[in-house]
Amino acid sequence: MLKQLLAVAPHKAKIGEYSDSEIKQNQVKVKVEYASPKHGSELAAFRGKSPHLDFYYDDDWRTFLPRKGEEKGVDFGNWNLGNQWVGTITEVGSAVKEYAVGERVCSYGGIRETHITNAIDNYYLKKMPAKMSWKSAVCFDPAQFALGGIRDSHLRAGDKVAIIGLGAIGQIAAQMAKLAGASYVAVVDPIKNRREVALRAGADQAFDPSIEDVGLKLKKATEKVGVDVIIETSAIEQALQQALRGLAYGGTIAYVGWARAFKGGLDLGREAHFNNAKIVFSRACSEPNPDYPRWSWRRIEDTCWQMLSEGKLNCEEIINPVIPFEESACGYEEYVDRSPEKSVKLGIEFKD
């Protein structure tokens, strides 16, 4: 039997079995080589704390509404954990013309040994250039939200920037800020390894919010002015307070992180009230895009895939650690849930 990674209860993962059906004419079968979970919204659901468990977002009303009856947003026991995967095509349906056996592809889906997917007009079944790293490919999803934050902040060449939170989104946003022409990029995270990864990738300065007054440090680093733009990805109220403290007068915070209900630590009667701060809530996949019709989520996706496939973003240290699939249940619980300080974005390797 084939194997996959399942969420069986809040905070609990296990490897379970599944079987593949015969592929249809429009499908291909892929043998998965590498995969990675999503450390943000997926983790919230894994912990049983996602608003999607008891509510759903209604596109017509543009608000959260309660689910009906016993319906839940997560089916523990059947939920195949994972966000993106890379693998090689092993079977091709008779109607498929765009893909061939042996081609390496990347797409969305759970952490499992195989995937059977539609291969006719499927934008999300991405062919990988020969020199493209699998680590770059599985960063396609976080890159979109990083680019969305950069664009929504209206960052311009010469701006001084801070990136708060150095998971995959924050790491990529720091690199994108440099590519966009930022004259100074500071990174903020309590985890030493994450700060060091960002510095090696080109950030100018790093701060530890657990022991430093980050807002004041940002003011000191900019001759009391503050940074023009802050990309906030941590979704922690204390981080937003420090962002407001370190932001230049009239500057912009692009709030990219998916926040939970704040329980204290945010005081909008301080710097936010005096310094004309702007907070823009940024979500790359919310349509219409703020720059519609020139920009859309699809244009963001196209831009990110091009940057990743051309090697303009360095993701080699973002996917860390990389563990064998056989260890993925314990590894997910350890590196993603219980001890996120031990990872940036977890990688899973499937061995023959």
Side-chain angles (χ1 to χ4, degrees), residues 112-191:
R112 59 195 314 183
E113 292 183 299
T114 61
H115 273 283
I116 294 175
T117 185
N118 171 51
I120 296 179
D121 297 326
N122 184 354
Y123 174 84
Y124 291 106
L125 186 59
K126 314 291 283 184
K127 291 186 181 182
M128 293 176 57
K131 294 183 179 180
M132 186 179 189
S133 165
W134 71 268
K135 293 183 178 180
S136 294
V138 297
C139 282
F140 178 48
D141 186 83
Q144 296 165 39
F145 296 94
L147 181 57
I150 293 291
R151 290 194 52 77
D152 291 343
S153 75
H154 297 291
L155 186 158
R156 290 171 288 186
D159 278 350
K160 295 180 180 180
V161 180
I163 311 294
I164 300 181
L166 294 174
I169 295 174
Q171 296 282 352
I172 295 170
Q175 295 185 38
M176 287 181 172
K178 277 291 189 179
L179 290 172
S183 61
Y184 168 81
V185 175
V187 291
V188 181
D189 199 287
I191 301 172

Side-chain angles (χ1 to χ4, degrees), residues 92-115:
V92 176
S94 59
V96 175
K97 306 299 181 185
E98 299 179 29
Y99 300 89
V101 170
E103 286 187 317
R104 205 173 192 214
V105 292
C106 171
S107 193
Y108 283 90
I111 298 168
R112 59 195 314 183
E113 292 183 299
T114 61
H115 273 283

Side-chain angles (χ1 to χ4, degrees), residues 5-227:
L5 181 63
L6 297 172
V8 293
H11 303 282
K12 185 63 180 175
K14 78 169 188 179
I15 293 178
E17 296 182 339
Y18 72 98
S19 59
D20 275 338
S21 58
E22 295 293 323
I23 68 169
K24 299 177 182 178
Q25 291 182 338
N26 65 312
Q27 294 179 324
V28 295
K29 183 175 181 178
V30 181
K31 182 180 180 182
V32 177
E33 298 164 357
Y34 301 97
S36 184
K38 191 178 180 79
H39 286 232
S41 53
E42 179 180 280
L43 177 58
F46 182 72
R47 289 172 170 170
K49 296 180 179 180
S50 170
H52 290 286
L53 290 173
D54 297 313
F55 295 83
Y56 72 98
Y57 183 77
D58 188 285
D59 289 322
D60 291 331
W61 288 87
R62 291 193 177 274
T63 192
F64 278 89
L65 297 175
R67 294 185 183 275
K68 298 177 180 178
E70 300 298 319
E71 178 189 10
K72 292 287 184 180
V74 172
D75 184 10
F76 284 108
N78 295 306
W79 176 22
N80 183 195
L81 289 164
N83 179 227
Q84 291 197 275
W85 50 263
V86 166
T88 299
I89 295 174
T90 59
E91 294 182 43
V92 176
S94 59
V96 175
K97 306 299 181 185
E98 299 179 29
Y99 300 89
V101 170
E103 286 187 317
R104 205 173 192 214
V105 292
C106 171
S107 193
Y108 283 90
I111 298 168
R112 59 195 314 183
E113 292 183 299
T114 61
H115 273 283
I116 294 175
T117 185
N118 171 51
I120 296 179
D121 297 326
N122 184 354
Y123 174 84
Y124 291 106
L125 186 59
K126 314 291 283 184
K127 291 186 181 182
M128 293 176 57
K131 294 183 179 180
M132 186 179 189
S133 165
W134 71 268
K135 293 183 178 180
S136 294
V138 297
C139 282
F140 178 48
D141 186 83
Q144 296 165 39
F145 296 94
L147 181 57
I150 293 291
R151 290 194 52 77
D152 291 343
S153 75
H154 297 291
L155 186 158
R156 290 171 288 186
D159 278 350
K160 295 180 180 180
V161 180
I163 311 294
I164 300 181
L166 294 174
I169 295 174
Q171 296 282 352
I172 295 170
Q175 295 185 38
M176 287 181 172
K178 277 291 189 179
L179 290 172
S183 61
Y184 168 81
V185 175
V187 291
V188 181
D189 199 287
I191 301 172
K192 181 180 179 181
N193 176 59
R194 294 185 178 189
R195 297 195 303 271
E196 291 174 344
V197 167
L199 288 169
R200 286 193 290 271
D204 296 296
Q205 200 168 9
F207 299 111
D208 180 354
S210 67
I211 59 173
E212 296 179 284
D213 182 339
V214 170
L216 191 58
K217 287 283 187 178
L218 290 173
K219 290 290 180 69
K220 289 180 178 179
T222 55
E223 300 179 343
K224 300 182 181 179
V225 175
V227 291

